Amino acid sequence: MADILFVLTGSKVWTLNDGTAHPTGFWAEEAVVPYRAFTEAGHRVTAATPGGVVPVADGASLTDPETAEELAKIAEFRQPLVLAEVDPADYDAVFYPGGHGPMEDLAVDADSGRLLTRVLASGRPLGVVCHGPAALLAARAEEGGSPFAGYRVTGFTNAEETQGGFADRAPWLLQDRLVELGVDFEEGEPWAPHTVVDRNLVTGQNPASSAPVAAELLKLLRASAA
């Protein structure tokens, strides 16, 4: 049995380029599907957020009644730890769901950045999906720059943000910022499952990639336990 840490956004809004506070949060599917995969495999899940605030799901991600019902039963998300107090060494793997919320808080959260840097260097499995890679922007290497520079990575693409209707309203686009970090960004077809594995880092492009990312993370956990 492994202990897996979910790091979720604590933000309920995403500030658009005109100053509008767009209601958001984490994307339900990107948390529910991996949670199910991990717990059905016998692993324990713990949640953490900036400040320990209870995370909120984006209302647009709750249109499926089954997903909403399943999310309501996840007690761990209602009792998150304070991210700044979390020691990543206590966990066998770390997972970041997306939603537009991480664009607001995790993208600039130094505690999250330090955690990501430590987990990446430790070799323990690290999974990040959709807009979750916004958190990579806050990670800093000791020698400067991003510890993720040179890694093969995917995430929510400019094409998907455009088709979703937010590209011209967003203060910045995730794909652009990740490329600026020096990652090797791999773009798949819009909305289709697309997962990239590079060493201990697993990234997924969009909500449809949630299950494949969880599956790859479980493979890495089994390999590390062998």
Side-chain angles (χ1 to χ4, degrees):
M1 180 184 292
D3 288 296
I4 302 175
L5 177 69
F6 273 51
V7 179
L8 298 104
T9 177
S11 183
K12 300 178 183 179
V13 300
W14 177 33
T15 306
L16 302 179
N17 56 17
D18 64 354
T20 301
H22 175 71
T24 188
F26 67 91
W27 198 258
E29 178 184 0
E30 297 166 19
V32 168
V33 171
Y35 177 90
R36 184 197 311 140
F38 299 149
T39 55
E40 287 183 352
H43 303 307
R44 288 183 294 257
V45 168
T46 300
T49 64
V53 301
V54 177
V56 173
D58 190 313
S61 70
L62 297 173
T63 55
D64 175 35
E66 291 185 7
T67 299
E69 182 179 355
E70 194 170 350
L71 177 61
K73 295 177 181 177
I74 300 178
E76 292 90 342
F77 293 173
R78 298 194 298 272
Q79 301 170 332
L81 301 178
V82 176
L83 182 58
E85 300 174 359
V86 169
D87 184 350
D90 293 337
Y91 300 92
D92 301 290
V94 175
F95 177 74
Y96 277 66
H100 279 118
M103 304 276 280
E104 185 79 12
D105 62 353
L106 296 179
V108 294
D109 190 286
D111 296 313
S112 173
R114 283 188 288 270
L115 184 146
L116 285 166
T117 301
R118 288 182 60 187
V119 175
L120 188 70
S122 75
R124 290 189 294 274
L126 172 60
V128 195
V129 68
C130 200
H131 287 91
L136 275 54
L137 302 177
R140 298 287 182 271
E142 286 187 12
E143 62 276 14
S146 171
F148 293 94
Y151 275 76
R152 294 167 47 243
V153 170
T154 192
F156 205 67
T157 64
N158 291 355
E160 288 166 323
E161 206 73 84
T162 299
Q163 293 175 20
F166 282 105
D168 60 347
R169 304 168 64 196
W172 47 270
L173 297 177
L174 179 59
Q175 180 176 347
D176 291 346
R177 285 289 179 89
L178 290 174
V179 169
E180 290 171 5
L181 282 186
V183 308
D184 179 7
F185 190 91
E186 298 190 4
E187 179 177 358
E189 290 296 318
W191 312 109
H194 179 59
T195 303
V196 175
V197 181
D198 188 347
R199 288 159 276 185
N200 60 319
L201 176 64
V202 183
T203 51
Q205 181 172 313
N206 46 37
S209 306
S210 302
V213 166
E216 293 293 344
L217 213 63
L218 287 171
K219 286 181 187 178
L220 290 176
L221 276 171
R222 288 193 292 270
S224 64

